[in-house]
Amino acid sequence: LSPIVELNVGGEMYTTTLSTLKKHPGSKLAEMFTGQPKLRTDSEGRFFIDRPGTYFKYILEYLRSNQVPTQCIQDVYKEALFYDIEPLIKQLEDSPQIFGELVARKQFLARVPNYSENIELMIRIARAEAVASRRSSVIVCVVRTEEDAARCQDALSSLDMDKKSVVKFGPWKATPSISDLLDCIQMDVEAKGYKIAFQPHVAEKGFRFKSHDFFYKFLFTWW
């Protein structure tokens, strides 16, 4: 291989040295250029990597100067994982953005039973109710403790609605509050491309509990 390497990364063109690309021998990026190159070439003979080219400049800058990026942290982290550049992965995981997501938020959500499955269930219910409508709503029951879970079950029997359409989150053993969990639900549904908002669900009169103790209405807007 020539010591000067031309790359086409997802349509973005880069020129660097072979030694820069192989700086971390155990990485997937280094392996791509070890021995016989394991990459296709484009029409101009440049090595082609089918990844987002926008973020490769941050990877390359790190390899050149050990400069850890301060922009597009989440996206650069994904690329660092793909190229398996361990020193960069570890340094990014120490950044507030990645640390907060991996250590704080995801560790909390891991303690909320069936969290991911419930997010998908919410979306399925909302889509099923979206026919010929601009908006559809999903009722969510959020309980933090076992005692609240029992009270919520009792409250469900008083609700004048299809019980199967109520999505239940909790209980959990962690510091974050109900409002923190509601924010997480909104963040994760919005991350899938949906426009969503929530508010306390006001039940019909005669309901035995204050509805906002447990129940919230998530409103999906389609157009």
Side-chain angles (χ1 to χ4, degrees):
L1 279 177
S2 167
I4 306 300
V5 180
E6 291 189 346
L7 301 172
N8 176 347
V9 185
E12 300 279 344
M13 311 307 165
Y14 295 94
T15 302
T16 187
T17 65
L18 186 60
S19 60
T20 296
L21 295 171
K22 296 172 66 176
K23 184 174 181 179
H24 297 285
S27 69
K28 182 177 179 180
L29 183 62
E31 290 179 358
M32 291 178 181
F33 296 93
T34 299
Q36 186 68 23
K38 306 169 181 64
L39 295 169
R40 293 171 292 173
T41 56
D42 65 10
S43 59
E44 300 295 325
R46 294 173 290 234
F47 290 111
F48 178 73
I49 302 176
D50 193 14
R51 295 294 295 180
T54 303
Y55 310 116
F56 188 74
K57 64 181 179 182
Y58 300 109
I59 300 292
L60 201 54
E61 187 59 36
Y62 176 77
L63 295 174
R64 287 168 171 163
S65 61
N66 290 323
Q67 180 177 330
V68 179
T70 57
Q71 304 177 55
C72 309
I73 300 296
Q74 298 280 358
D75 294 302
V76 177
Y77 180 67
K78 293 177 184 177
E79 297 310 297
L81 289 173
F82 173 78
Y83 293 114
D84 196 20
I85 304 173
E86 281 294 335
L88 178 56
I89 292 171
K90 291 179 179 178
Q91 290 184 70
L92 288 173
E93 286 178 347
D94 284 336
S95 69
Q97 299 94 321
I98 304 298
F99 179 87
E101 177 67 16
L102 294 181
V103 177
R105 199 176 84 92
K106 284 195 174 179
Q107 288 297 316
F108 158 53
L109 295 178
R111 301 183 185 190
V112 180
N114 304 314
Y115 177 80
S116 297
E117 294 84 347
N118 284 339
I119 292 290
E120 295 301 326
L121 177 58
M122 284 179 63
I123 292 171
R124 289 199 299 273
I125 292 172
R127 291 174 69 94
E129 295 182 358
V131 178
S133 301
R134 184 173 186 181
R135 298 179 181 87
S136 56
S137 62
V138 178
I139 303 302
V140 168
C141 174
V142 183
V143 291
R144 184 174 176 180
T145 67
E146 294 289 350
E147 292 77 9
D148 283 345
R151 293 177 63 208
C152 176
Q153 190 60 40
D154 190 22
L156 275 173
S157 64
S158 301
L159 277 177
D160 184 20
M161 65 172 63
D162 182 1
K163 309 304 184 296
K164 294 181 180 179
S165 67
V166 178
V167 182
K168 178 187 171 186
F169 287 85
W172 64 88
K173 294 181 180 180
T175 304
S177 65
I178 286 177
S179 63
D180 293 325
L181 180 65
L182 292 169
D183 288 340
C184 287
I185 294 171
Q186 182 172 10
M187 289 170 59
D188 289 330
V189 173
E190 287 179 341
K192 295 177 180 293
Y194 296 92
K195 185 176 180 181
I196 189 174
F198 67 87
Q199 62 190 33
H201 175 59
V202 180
E204 299 295 329
K205 61 182 180 179
F207 189 60
R208 291 202 298 271
F209 300 97
K210 292 186 295 182
S211 59
H212 60 264
D213 284 348
F214 307 115
F215 298 98
Y216 297 83
K217 178 185 290 187
F218 278 80
L219 194 65
F220 287 71
T221 301
W222 301 103
W223 52 272

